[in-house]
Amino acid sequence: MAHLVIDIGNSRSKIAVFQGDQLIRSEKVQVLDTTILGEYLKNSEITHSIISSVNDGIIALEDFLKERTAYIRFSTLLQTGIDNKYKSPATLGLDRLAGIIGARVVFPNKNCLVIDAGTCITYDAINNEGVYEGGSISPGLKMRLKAMHNFTRRLPEVELIEYDDWQGYDTKSAMLSGVLNGAIEELKGFIEIYNSKYSELHVLLCGGDSIFFDYRLKNSIFAHALKTEPDLVLIGLNEVIQQND
């Protein structure tokens, strides 16, 4: 018995196959359609499926999966194993929720901080008893660069690339230095705050821009507690299938 797990984001979709808790296969696609789903389901042992989506235009995909699997649309109303204290649980981002569920799988009964570095950078902690109270949302790296271009008359539009110096030597490198170094210090600050509130804190880093933070943070004092887990959201969605089976 295998599970098909799908996370549909703003710009691309992630697809994964799990056998129990083990990730067997995963990939990213720009456009997800029933042809791709059919390839996954052909000659496979997939019995269950789940979709987490930022938009509602997934009816055709859902109908396709409903005919062939035990299908679930991920929402905050499902059984998750999380004691969700968020004051407006219906507005909690599904990626944020799936990430903290995944953290409980990776580090069961541990204090965890999930940092998801994507379009936005989100910070969400769950304690060793499975209680989630809330978190923080900050602009992502590309958003910061774009905002400087959009909200000023002279700053150029700069593509996000690796930049390791602590300062810039022209306008482009100064913007990259400010965004990357500023975000790193922001992450360190959040980790320090949560580290002071939770004993033996485990920090999980995921999201499309996690590569920009991974080695920089591993050179910090928090390296011993840091784990980069790019498939954390998928792991959380797979756990939801198992809890709602």
Side-chain angles (χ1 to χ4, degrees):
M1 183 173 71
H3 301 158
L4 183 64
V5 174
I6 301 166
D7 177 28
I8 300 177
N10 291 305
S11 58
R12 59 188 176 183
S13 299
K14 299 176 184 176
I15 314 168
V17 177
F18 285 83
Q19 194 87 44
D21 289 333
Q22 185 177 0
L23 178 63
I24 303 299
R25 172 187 177 189
S26 67
E27 70 171 315
K28 299 174 184 177
V29 297
Q30 292 297 116
V31 179
L32 179 62
D33 56 27
T34 55
T35 301
I36 294 174
L37 294 183
E39 289 298 316
Y40 272 84
L41 296 176
K42 184 172 58 178
N43 300 323
S44 76
E45 298 179 353
I46 293 173
T47 56
H48 295 67
S49 62
I50 188 170
I51 292 180
S52 174
S53 178
V54 298
N55 59 68
D56 293 324
I58 58 173
I59 302 302
L61 300 177
E62 291 187 307
D63 289 343
F64 186 86
L65 292 174
K66 286 176 183 177
E67 293 175 358
R68 295 161 176 83
T69 66
Y71 170 75
I72 299 172
R73 179 191 282 206
F74 182 49
S75 78
T76 57
L77 301 176
L78 293 172
Q79 176 66 37
T80 62
I82 301 298
D83 185 2
N84 189 350
K85 302 293 188 182
Y86 207 59
K87 288 186 177 180
S88 55
T91 67
L92 178 61
L94 295 180
D95 277 6
R96 293 174 65 192
L97 178 58
I100 59 177
I101 296 169
R104 290 282 285 176
V105 176
V106 177
F107 292 114
N109 305 315
K110 301 293 184 181
N111 295 318
C112 295
L113 172 64
V114 176
I115 303 176
D116 191 336
T119 303
C120 291
I121 303 174
T122 59
Y123 305 86
D124 293 288
I126 184 166
N127 71 15
N128 55 11
E129 296 179 346
V131 178
Y132 170 74
E133 295 181 343
S136 303
I137 304 173
S138 179
L141 299 178
K142 294 176 184 177
M143 189 181 296
R144 297 177 195 215
L145 287 169
K146 188 173 289 291
M148 285 193 284
H149 171 67
N150 289 341
F151 287 95
T152 66
R153 293 184 177 181
R154 289 194 167 185
L155 291 177
E157 187 166 5
V158 175
E159 181 183 356
L160 179 63
I161 58 173
E162 286 282 359
Y163 187 79
D164 289 326
D165 207 323
W166 68 278
Q167 68 179 3
Y169 301 94
D170 55 25
T171 301
K172 177 181 176 180
S173 61
M175 291 171 68
L176 286 169
S177 172
V179 166
L180 288 169
N181 291 316
I184 283 291
E185 294 307 313
E186 176 184 296
L187 264 70
K188 289 180 180 178
F190 271 104
I191 293 172
E192 186 173 347
I193 291 170
Y194 279 101
N195 209 35
S196 69
K197 295 180 180 294
Y198 296 96
S199 61
E200 299 180 5
L201 181 71
H202 295 267
V203 181
L204 293 108
L205 181 63
C206 62
D209 286 338
S210 59
I211 187 172
F212 287 97
F213 298 113
D214 181 78
Y215 76 89
R216 292 176 173 91
L217 285 174
K218 285 181 177 175
N219 290 328
S220 73
I221 61 173
F222 308 108
H224 67 282
L226 179 68
K227 177 179 176 62
T228 300
E229 184 53 81
D231 297 312
L232 188 65
V233 169
L234 299 175
I235 291 170
L237 293 174
N238 182 60
E239 175 66 12
V240 171
I241 290 180
Q242 299 188 74
Q243 293 201 27
N244 289 270
D245 184 8

